[in-house]
Each structure stands twice: as C-alpha cells, then as structure tokens.
Amino acid sequence: MDNLGLTSTTSLLGIEFSNVTEETAVRRVLARPEAARFGYVVTPNADHIDRLMRIPRLRAVYRRAMLCLLESWGVAVVAGMFGLEYPCVVTGARLTNALLPHLHGRRVAVVGMRDEEFAALCARFPKVEFVHHQPPMALLEDDVAFAAAVAFVCRTRAAFTFFVVGAPVQELLAFSVAQCPEAVGIGLCVGTALQLAAGVRTPPPRWMTEHGLAWLHGLGHEPLRLAGRYLLADPRVLVALGLAAIRQKIH
C-alpha cells in the first residue's frame, strides 16, 4: 500500500486491510495533495474476497492501493463470530457520501455510469465539476477501449476519479492508471456507491447493512444479477472464514 500516514493493517484471509475508521479514511483521502502521483482506494466485499481467493494474481492490485477498506459488514460479523480479528468496516457508499460535500469546485472524473445516471449525479451535486467517460461493456476484452479509459483519467488530471464499472475491472483500471507517471489524483473503486449518491439506486436500510443483511436487500432488488454472487461466491468466503478460525485454534 501507499504510505498514507501510519495506517495499521489487519490480515483477513490473506488480504491486508487498512484498519481505519470512516472518519480517518475521509480525512486522509482529502488531505492527500491533488498533484501527488495517482493513488487509489479499494473497498473489497465478500464477492471481491472470493475472487481474490480464486485468482491470487489479483492480490497485487489490491496491495498497491493506498487504502484497502473492508466493505462487508457480513464478513465482519461472521469473522467476529469465529473469533477472528477483522478491520473496521468502511463501505464505499458511506465513504462516497462523506467525500462528495467536500468536492465542491473540484474536478471529479467519472468512468462508467449511463448518461442518465450521470445527469442525475450532476443535478444532485451541481457545485462539483464532473467530467464523464463511458467505456463500452466487456472492457477487459477490448484493449483499445481499456487504454482509452486509462488515457482519459491521465489526461483529465482530476482531483478525484470514481470508477463505476464493477469489479475487478475498476480495480484493474485504477492499477493501470497508477503505472502512468503523469497520472495524478485519487481513484475510488467504490462500485455502485456513486449511483446510490445520485439517487438512481435504492440503498438498503442502515440496520440491514450493519447486521450483515445488505445482501438480502440487493438480492430482492436485482435477483438475476446478484444470485450467483450471494448464493455461490459469498458462502465460499464464509466457509473460508470458518476454516481460518479452525487453523487459528490449532496453531
């Protein structure tokens, strides 16, 4: 991870998470000089963790992040039940909501979002100077479009860039931008958080989120898109947490 002050970390399932509160994360992101070389924030949830367990080469992308924040209350709740140490939970949605009021007058790039979603975002935050790039679908299969998205971020030189193209595409984009010496600012890989902030998606009630039940809300609203994630990927993470707890007791 980038040196962003003294950030303590907590290892969970082989992933080094930044163990900072939401307030600390917001403060450190806002304090970073705008002209500093590009860095990025990732917010892995259970789906990300499952992918990282299955595709270890992706872990370097998360290690390169200046902050790696645990998104999932569900993972935290289960880890705690098993007696495992876990980091503070900082969701992408709450991080985004906390940051946006501080971005008035700043240039903020958005990679992804449909045109109507972007228009809703601009209408809700008229004091932010948003610039937009909408890449095509299947970005990882289109080298030209992927390179164009990276070039957009480098060329725009925005103080903040939100990647709204889903995992692991957004993390791989941010990682690629970070390899460009001319790129500046901070990239935020926060999934649907910007769509929630724009009011084009319905957030789960806070009590559901903090009891690890946000997945149930999402499954009810988007069953076709999320069924595979919540019914196949996430249980694998829960099993991995149980096995980690057993290994910890043995050793």
Side-chain angles (χ1 to χ4, degrees), residues 110-115 117-118 132-135 162-165 195:
V110 178
V111 178
M113 298 188 82
R114 296 192 297 269
D115 288 339
E117 294 174 334
F118 181 72
H132 186 214
H133 176 75
Q134 186 179 2
F162 286 87
F163 295 96
V164 194
V165 289
Q195 293 158 324

Side-chain angles (χ1 to χ4, degrees), residues 188-204:
L188 296 151
C189 303
V190 289
T192 60
L194 209 58
Q195 293 158 324
L196 292 169
V200 297
R201 281 179 181 261
T202 303

Side-chain angles (χ1 to χ4, degrees), residues 163-247:
F163 295 96
V164 194
V165 289
V169 182
Q170 58 194 15
E171 290 80 16
L172 290 167
L173 270 176
F175 180 76
S176 295
V177 173
Q179 311 310 307
C180 303
E182 71 275 22
V184 299
I186 295 177
L188 296 151
C189 303
V190 289
T192 60
L194 209 58
Q195 293 158 324
L196 292 169
V200 297
R201 281 179 181 261
T202 303
R206 186 165 181 176
W207 70 267
M208 292 186 76
T209 299
E210 295 186 353
H211 285 82
L213 297 174
W215 66 272
L216 189 59
H217 178 273
L219 187 61
H221 281 75
E222 298 181 90
L224 293 178
R225 186 176 75 87
L226 298 177
R229 175 190 303 180
Y230 292 144
L231 302 181
L232 295 175
D234 291 7
R236 287 195 292 262
V237 174
L238 303 186
V239 170
L241 289 168
L243 293 174
I246 292 172
R247 288 193 295 269

